[in-house]
Amino acid sequence: MKLPHPRGDLSNALVKCLPDGHALTTQSLADITANDDSDAQLSLWILYQLHHDGFDDVDPEMEWYPYLIDVRTSLESQFEQLLRSRYSSVPFTQPFADALFDYIREFEGPSIAQFVKSKATEDQVRELMSYRSVYHLRESDPQAWLIPRLPYDAKASLAELQFDEFGQGRADRLHANIFARGMSDLGLDNRAGAYVDIAPVEVLELNNAMSFFGLHLRLLGAALGHLAAFEATSSAPSRKVAQGLHRLSLAPSMIEYYDEHVEADAVHEQLVIRLICEPVLRKRPELAQEIFFGAFTCMDLEARFAAWLLTKWNTR
């Protein structure tokens, strides 16, 4: 993957310094701040990419370079403060699983999937998939970081879910690979990170939240809540997107990708909440609000992206 084009002073410093890591010093980065949210989120995305599969022209040793970790920690602190400022604690009296299902079901936000089903043009579908590719071409990778942090029963259930996401042992059935084939069928570039340069800040936030939660043991509850909401809000929208692709006679392999998620995620939502979150809570009941926080963050960031995109498409 190539380094993206910078969006401000901080991302510009990172893009210039990373290929020559020895030029990085505390002083070279300490006095540089992000110009705006877009610059900050791109910088954080770049630093998280070092923990995924890195960049073509950046030494893998940069992953844990102390000065970069200092920058990442500062950006994460600001990001976490923003995310938590948007969340209100959830009082509940019913059993946890029922409360979380109700919370997710009752969340209201604009629907990109409904628009794709009934109104989207071919160009709009391609634009949507270019944004979605930032995550879907490495689908489930951030969640894999959770496996070693779980008790045995929850660990086994998450491994079962990930086994589905990673194609049940077949590379051609790997969800990221199916999505990549769909992008090719749509005439899009299916290389990882190909569309980061056009991704709005809302897409970067969506992706950064998953990496942020997944990388930090202290945020295990938030990571689980994010995963729960992600799976519980996937099945019905996936059906609508598949219907929209059928309406436009587009990309059989992309239709296959969304059809795959209609059934799989209907099962996964039960698995995540009842067989992963609940066993964790039996051992660590103090994580309940963190799980709700993670679920809210998932849905809130998706709603913000949907509002931005639908406004761009002049539908609101």
Side-chain angles (χ1 to χ4, degrees), residues 236-266:
S238 290
R239 179 179 289 107
K240 291 178 180 179
V241 172
Q243 289 169 338
L245 293 169
H246 273 295
R247 174 178 61 83
L248 294 166
S249 300
L250 286 177
S253 53
M254 191 63 83
I255 294 172
E256 177 189 7
Y257 172 84
Y258 282 98
D259 282 343
E260 174 79 12
H261 285 72
V262 173
E263 288 191 28
D265 290 349

Side-chain angles (χ1 to χ4, degrees), residues 11-310:
S11 55
N12 184 57
L14 291 173
V15 167
K16 286 186 175 180
C17 290
L18 276 170
D20 182 14
H22 298 291
L24 288 170
T25 66
T26 301
Q27 190 59 43
S28 69
L29 293 172
D31 296 330
I32 303 174
T33 57
N35 297 89
D36 52 25
D37 289 343
S38 187
D39 187 24
Q41 290 299 319
L42 179 62
S43 297
L44 191 53
W45 185 89
I46 289 170
L47 293 169
Y48 283 145
Q49 177 59 23
L50 299 177
H51 297 291
H52 286 276
D53 56 349
F55 296 99
D56 295 345
D57 51 355
V58 176
D59 191 327
E61 289 189 4
M62 291 297 100
E63 179 182 4
W64 294 106
Y65 206 72
Y67 306 132
L68 295 176
I69 296 300
D70 287 345
V71 175
R72 198 192 82 191
T73 299
S74 177
L75 290 170
E76 286 178 333
S77 178
Q78 298 168 42
F79 189 37
E80 182 173 8
Q81 185 176 13
L82 173 65
L83 296 178
R84 291 192 183 277
S85 73
R86 296 169 175 171
Y87 170 70
S88 297
S89 180
V90 179
F92 64 95
T93 56
Q94 69 264 55
F96 168 80
D98 295 337
L100 185 56
F101 274 122
D102 287 347
Y103 182 69
I104 293 171
R105 184 173 58 251
E106 291 167 5
F107 185 92
E108 294 184 1
S111 173
I112 294 174
Q114 181 60 44
F115 183 80
V116 171
K117 175 184 175 181
S118 57
K119 297 180 180 179
T121 65
E122 292 185 16
D123 286 344
Q124 287 170 335
V125 167
R126 290 187 177 90
E127 181 182 4
L128 172 62
M129 297 311 168
S130 69
Y131 299 142
R132 292 297 193 199
S133 71
V134 179
Y135 171 68
H136 286 314
L137 290 177
R138 65 180 186 198
E139 187 167 332
S140 286
D141 287 356
Q143 292 78 23
W145 285 323
L146 306 183
I147 294 175
R149 297 173 175 176
L150 297 173
Y152 288 154
D153 45 3
K155 187 192 299 281
S157 295
L158 181 53
E160 178 185 349
L161 185 154
Q162 293 290 78
F163 188 59
D164 287 345
E165 298 287 347
F166 293 140
Q168 299 184 350
R170 292 177 52 192
D172 65 307
R173 301 306 306 161
L174 194 93
H175 288 182
N177 202 359
I178 299 174
F179 191 86
R181 292 198 297 271
M183 292 191 73
S184 292
D185 282 356
L186 286 170
L188 296 170
D189 189 339
N190 67 2
R191 293 174 298 170
Y195 293 100
V196 170
D197 283 336
I198 67 167
V201 66
E202 289 82 1
V203 167
L204 296 176
E205 285 187 340
L206 278 169
N207 283 268
N208 286 342
M210 284 183 270
S211 295
F212 175 45
F213 291 162
L215 276 171
H216 291 271
L217 177 59
R218 69 178 179 85
L219 294 171
L220 175 62
L224 293 175
H226 189 289
L227 178 60
F230 192 91
E231 298 293 344
T233 58
S234 175
S235 181
S238 290
R239 179 179 289 107
K240 291 178 180 179
V241 172
Q243 289 169 338
L245 293 169
H246 273 295
R247 174 178 61 83
L248 294 166
S249 300
L250 286 177
S253 53
M254 191 63 83
I255 294 172
E256 177 189 7
Y257 172 84
Y258 282 98
D259 282 343
E260 174 79 12
H261 285 72
V262 173
E263 288 191 28
D265 290 349
V267 174
H268 288 173
E269 67 178 60
Q270 296 289 331
L271 192 155
V272 174
I273 294 176
R274 299 192 184 279
L275 298 181
I276 300 176
C277 290
E278 283 198 320
V280 170
L281 280 182
R282 283 196 291 270
K283 294 178 173 63
R284 298 188 60 188
E286 75 277 7
L287 291 182
Q289 282 301 321
E290 281 291 279
I291 291 176
F292 277 102
F293 163 61
F296 169 81
T297 297
C298 175
M299 297 184 293
D300 178 62
L301 292 178
E302 177 61 32
R304 291 172 186 274
F305 169 56
W308 174 85
L309 185 58
L310 293 175

